[in-house]
Amino acid sequence: MKRKLSEQENATIYQYKLIKRKVIVKELIYSHLLMAFIFAGCQILIYRMEGLFSWLFGFALIQALHLLVLLLTFIRVDEAADRQWIWRITPPWIGFKPANDISLLIFRRVHRHLFWIGLCFIALLYPWTKPSLMISLVSWHIWLLTPRLLLSFSFRKQRKDGVLRLQTKEASYYHR
């Protein structure tokens, strides 16, 4: 027997209001993907087959680095560990992203850690890597995080206790 929600004693209602929505237009996605292929062309022109190998290997290595940094960040940011993160290849959210809604504060904190710790780790590899691989690592790292950092920048004036929802064609910010 179903009762009305107002009649239930321990009912919890979460009502969020849409505050801001960023629609991701196709042209932005296409230009972002085009940048990766231009980067591949430059690598191949300058470094030949070594450039192609570095381009492919750099992508895989950056994905592993992002996973490692995310796991280390989850140790520091307790709330982020409660959320499920998934790996996607759908543009513009290529790589690891929250599977569900996430607090804007946690989203910004996790990606700030991901950006800076990732750059520091890549810098540590500098003495032992070839120039083509180093260029690939830095470029892939920045290329993968650019949509998230731009999103974080566009929601910078919003209250930090709101909720962010990432979908394929849009990002929405909700608040109670």
Side-chain angles (χ1 to χ4, degrees):
M1 172 171 91
K2 287 189 171 184
R3 294 187 301 174
K4 289 184 180 179
L5 203 52
S6 59
E7 295 173 1
Q8 296 179 14
E9 293 175 22
N10 295 326
T12 305
I13 302 171
Y14 295 108
Q15 292 183 347
Y16 288 94
K17 179 181 175 186
L18 177 65
I19 303 298
K20 190 174 181 181
R21 174 176 285 148
K22 294 295 281 185
V23 177
I24 294 117
V25 294
K26 286 187 257 185
E27 292 82 9
L28 186 64
I29 294 172
Y30 294 150
S31 64
H32 186 66
L33 292 173
L34 182 64
M35 289 300 297
F37 290 111
I38 289 172
F39 167 60
C42 290
Q43 282 282 73
I44 293 169
L45 278 174
I46 296 170
Y47 297 107
R48 307 276 181 230
M49 289 307 289
E50 180 184 333
L52 178 63
F53 173 75
S54 295
W55 186 74
L56 294 170
F57 184 68
F59 180 77
L61 192 60
I62 286 299
Q63 291 299 319
L65 173 65
H66 284 188
L67 176 63
L68 177 69
V69 172
L70 279 173
L71 293 174
L72 290 174
T73 304
F74 292 161
I75 294 170
R76 171 104 170 86
V77 181
D78 299 330
E79 297 88 7
D82 298 337
R83 301 289 183 182
Q84 183 181 8
W85 288 67
I86 53 175
W87 190 83
R88 291 284 184 225
I89 192 99
T90 54
W93 317 119
I94 297 174
F96 292 96
K97 75 174 203 84
N100 304 318
D101 302 342
I102 187 168
S103 164
L104 181 61
L105 177 68
I106 300 300
F107 179 82
R108 293 183 75 188
R109 187 179 296 169
V110 166
H111 284 89
R112 188 173 46 241
H113 284 140
L114 190 60
F115 180 74
W116 288 112
I117 293 173
L119 279 181
C120 291
F121 183 78
I122 292 169
L124 287 174
L125 296 176
Y126 175 71
W128 299 282
T129 59
K130 294 182 178 183
S132 62
L133 183 59
M134 191 62 166
I135 291 169
S136 291
L137 291 174
V138 172
S139 298
W140 276 124
H141 180 66
I142 293 172
W143 185 85
L144 287 167
L145 290 178
T146 297
R148 297 139 204 253
L149 295 175
L150 288 175
L151 183 68
S152 181
F153 182 74
S154 69
F155 289 136
R156 73 187 179 285
K157 293 183 180 177
Q158 304 301 326
R159 293 176 51 183
K160 307 299 182 244
D161 56 343
V163 174
L164 185 65
R165 176 178 289 167
L166 298 178
Q167 296 171 333
T168 306
K169 304 286 184 199
E170 67 184 33
S172 304
Y173 172 78
Y174 297 90
H175 197 267
R176 284 186 220 184

